Amino acid sequence: MRLFAYIILLFGLSLTSCEENFNLEENTNTQFNVRVNGVELPVLVRGNTASKKIILFINSGPGLTSLDHAHLDLMNFKTIESSYAIAYYDQRGTGNSQGTISKGSLNLKQYSKDIFDIIRVLETKYEQPEIFLMSHGFGSYLSSFFLLSYEDSNNVKGWINLDGSLLIQESKVWEYKHTFLVNIANEEISLGKDIAYWTDALDWAINNPIISNQAQKDQWRSYLGNPGEFIIPSEQRDLLTRETFDVVFNSSYNPLPALWSRNGKITAERISEEVNGTNLIPELSRLTLPTLNIWGRYDDIVPPELGDDIYNALGTPNADKYFEVFLNSGHQPFVNEPNLVSQKVVDFIGKY
Amino acid sequence: MHKLIFSLFVIISTSSWGQFSIIPHNVGISYAGETVTHPGGKLSLMYNLAQWNKVTKSQRGLAKTKRRNTTLNVNFGGFYHQRFQTGIFFLPEIEFSESNKKGWYWAAGAGAGYLRTIIPDTYEVQDDGTVEAVNAGHNYGMASIYFTYGKDLFIQNKKPWRFFLKPEFVMAFPNFPTLTGYFLLEVGVAYKLRQF
């Protein structure tokens, strides 16, 4: 009986002994939850909060988790964290978000409100730091939707857009992908690489100005290859067994809802349904905040030609917007050229 | 037909409760680690419902006797997953077990109960824009399936202890999209309070 009482005591102590702190430190590692409309969203703040600059990272997907990525540093943001803090969060319906989540609440308006509230909590708990957004892929759609929705009330100081997809109109995206192939073929020919191959690709592209059917899409893919095959850099980051064990057994994550649930897939379907056919690029003229656009030259999902149009559409003064094309990257420059991404991000934030 | 089933139910229930004692046959205590490493504990009150012997013949014609049991385990427990949640649960489980003459046994079972979660360090933006710390947590129905392997020292040595290892898959519902899964690994010991 004494043993049982001892175990209960230990259990009780463990509940109260690990309160999070919100001190401004160079090496912060704090996790908390933000409740929005009955749902708790986990937020992990890591890095240099003493800088009083916090980057809120909005991951891609839709439906991708973030906290487990952060735990394993899959985005290679540790270098950035030594200069500034990064706040990672699991979006509603994904990963370890908790609570009663109705499918009806999986929409952009609610997701924007989630971002707004997380920023409010960050501002309150960290003595009004400057907030930057950093987003990748679909996360950039979400970021720009939020910035446009809360145009007058957000205090976001700047936006880092990593290969962001703001155009969800398939036919238009394929126009860009067509141009992407033409440009790649011309570049390779001018470099004297596989001239016959790329000439053939160029001829095919000229003879197929509109790519619409599956056979054409397959042919387009066959010229460029899949990531890691020959021209598009590999975006795979192999997980070591030790890392997998670490995130499963030694992290704040419950891996079952995060990794082996259909929640991410359902979330992706709901959000995709809502955004399908939309294009935020014409709206970007309303945004005037400093923006760093980073694109992989070989991004076959959101080609840099599309990134260039996003850059041009922004209402930000030219002196405050940047478009950086990384020549050895695909859709995930933070995987292909992590040091360069870190350097550009740190330099950009340092200016504001 | 309905009357017959109802009458049988009443007869069985009455006779069972007539023999029922609040004192369990065994009381168990275990470490119950959520995803193995996140600490938790479980107190189990184990009531034997039925016990019988199963005799089989070996290839050499020798009789082998195995003891079989059905048990009701009434469990109270909790776990602490740092930064994620604390769970407190009440989980009755029905179990079938079989033990050999040396006391080694296996068991399999399923349960249904209640889980209360407590979510740490939660903040909410109020209507006036201020941020306040709030108590957060949710109530869930709970279901479990498990397997147990262990040794009952009473069978061979008449010592009132048994040890067991129990991997358990737990589901909490309703959740998004339907339920949330947990894996618990229990390592425990049970003490015999009375015989069946």
Side-chain angles (χ1 to χ4, degrees), chain A residues 4 14-15 20 22 29 32-35 40 93 98-99 106 120 124-125 248-249 251-254 256 266, chain B residues 29 35 37-38 79-86 119-124 129 131 135-136 138 176-177 181-182:
Chain A
F4 179 64
S14 70
L15 299 184
E20 304 288 343
F22 293 91
N29 187 331
F32 56 91
N33 295 278
V34 177
R35 184 161 74 190
E40 288 80 20
Q98 301 181 62
L106 300 173
R120 282 292 303 131
T124 304
K125 304 304 284 185
V248 170
F249 297 112
S251 78
S252 63
Y253 242 53
N254 176 358
L256 292 177
I266 290 170
Chain B
I29 188 164
T35 326
T37 47
H38 304 289
F79 59 81
Y80 172 64
H81 191 149
Q82 189 181 8
R83 291 183 158 183
F84 175 51
Q85 63 179 210
T86 299
I119 303 171
D121 299 288
T122 303
Y123 301 90
E124 189 171 50
V131 171
N135 294 324
H138 300 279
F176 182 74
Y182 297 85

Side-chain angles (χ1 to χ4, degrees), chain A residues 18-302:
Chain A
C18 300
E19 207 162 291
E20 304 288 343
N21 81 68
F22 293 91
N23 300 334
L24 300 178
E25 305 167 326
E26 289 186 356
N27 200 15
T28 295
N29 187 331
T30 298
Q31 187 170 324
F32 56 91
N33 295 278
V34 177
R35 184 161 74 190
V36 191
N37 290 353
V39 173
E40 288 80 20
L41 306 167
V43 181
L44 170 67
V45 178
R46 212 169 54 187
N48 188 349
T49 46
S51 66
K52 294 205 71 178
K53 292 185 178 185
I54 299 180
I55 304 163
L56 177 60
F57 179 67
I58 302 173
N59 206 357
S60 186
L64 280 184
T65 53
S66 290
L67 267 67
D68 51 346
H69 287 53
H71 186 83
L72 295 171
D73 196 27
L74 292 183
M75 279 89 65
N76 300 304
F77 290 159
K78 279 275 188 186
T79 313
I80 300 172
E81 289 173 15
S82 63
S83 299
Y84 308 112
I86 301 183
Y88 304 87
Y89 79 105
D90 273 356
Q91 294 167 23
R92 179 177 293 260
T94 75
N96 277 187
S97 59
Q98 301 181 62
T100 311
I101 302 169
S102 69
K103 286 186 182 175
S105 73
L106 300 173
N107 59 62
L108 291 171
K109 195 177 167 194
Q110 182 62 60
Y111 273 51
S112 297
K113 173 80 165 78
D114 294 346
I115 295 171
F116 182 79
D117 283 10
I118 289 169
I119 291 174
R120 282 292 303 131
V121 174
L122 290 171
E123 287 173 335
T124 304
K125 304 304 284 185
Y126 288 102
E127 302 176 22
Q128 304 298 323
E130 289 172 343
I131 301 289
F132 292 78
L133 297 184
M134 178 160 66
S135 51
H136 173 242
F138 181 78
S140 290
Y141 189 103
L142 200 49
S143 300
S144 48
F145 189 91
F146 161 75
L147 290 167
L148 291 163
S149 304
Y150 289 83
E151 205 175 342
D152 301 322
S153 54
N154 79 71
N155 295 323
V156 176
K157 191 81 175 170
W159 176 31
I160 298 141
N161 175 17
L162 303 165
D163 296 74
S165 47
L166 309 188
L167 171 65
I168 322 286
Q169 293 171 338
E170 200 184 357
S171 59
K172 285 224 172 217
V173 171
W174 275 102
E175 285 176 25
Y176 282 102
K177 289 186 173 183
H178 179 270
T179 308
F180 175 67
L181 176 58
V182 168
N183 291 342
I184 294 281
N186 279 325
E187 281 172 22
E188 295 298 301
I189 291 166
S190 69
L191 291 169
K193 292 181 183 171
D194 296 320
I195 292 174
Y197 178 86
W198 289 111
T199 303
D200 185 45
L202 191 56
D203 289 345
W204 179 85
I206 290 166
N207 291 325
N208 291 268
I210 296 170
I211 300 173
S212 56
N213 63 46
Q214 194 55 48
Q216 289 173 308
K217 290 171 186 173
D218 291 344
Q219 187 60 46
W220 177 90
R221 173 60 67 197
S222 74
Y223 281 120
L224 291 164
N226 289 302
E229 276 191 319
F230 50 96
I231 193 160
I232 300 171
S234 172
E235 289 163 351
Q236 292 297 320
R237 154 88 153 70
D238 292 332
L239 277 185
L240 304 172
T241 307
R242 177 180 55 76
E243 290 178 316
T244 307
F245 272 71
D246 186 39
V247 80
V248 170
F249 297 112
N250 186 35
S251 78
S252 63
Y253 242 53
N254 176 358
L256 292 177
L259 307 174
W260 297 314
S261 165
R262 290 175 62 245
N263 57 10
K265 186 170 178 287
I266 290 170
T267 302
E269 284 169 0
R270 293 288 300 194
I271 298 290
S272 300
E273 211 170 274
E274 183 181 358
V275 301
N276 198 23
T278 61
N279 179 6
L280 290 183
I281 298 173
E283 310 284 321
L284 294 180
S285 59
R286 286 163 44 201
L287 299 184
T288 55
L289 78 172
T291 305
L292 169 63
N293 298 278
I294 291 178
W295 243 268
R297 176 65 193 102
Y298 300 102
D299 183 347
D300 58 326
I301 297 169
V302 190

Side-chain angles (χ1 to χ4, degrees), chain B residues 105-173:
Chain B
Y105 75 96
W106 64 267
Y114 164 78
L115 169 70
R116 170 71 196 183
T117 61
I118 300 162
I119 303 171
D121 299 288
T122 303
Y123 301 90
E124 189 171 50
V125 179
Q126 306 300 306
D127 291 341
D128 62 0
T130 58
V131 171
E132 283 187 9
V134 291
N135 294 324
H138 300 279
N139 300 307
Y140 297 108
M142 194 179 188
S144 71
I145 49 172
Y146 65 89
F147 180 81
T148 304
Y149 190 69
K151 181 154 190 176
D152 187 342
L153 301 181
F154 190 80
I155 292 176
Q156 197 174 31
N157 304 321
K158 300 297 175 201
K159 290 181 179 169
W161 297 97
R162 70 163 77 160
F163 301 91
F164 58 88
L165 182 73
K166 181 177 175 184
E168 182 162 23
F169 184 66
V170 173
M171 293 148 277
F173 53 87

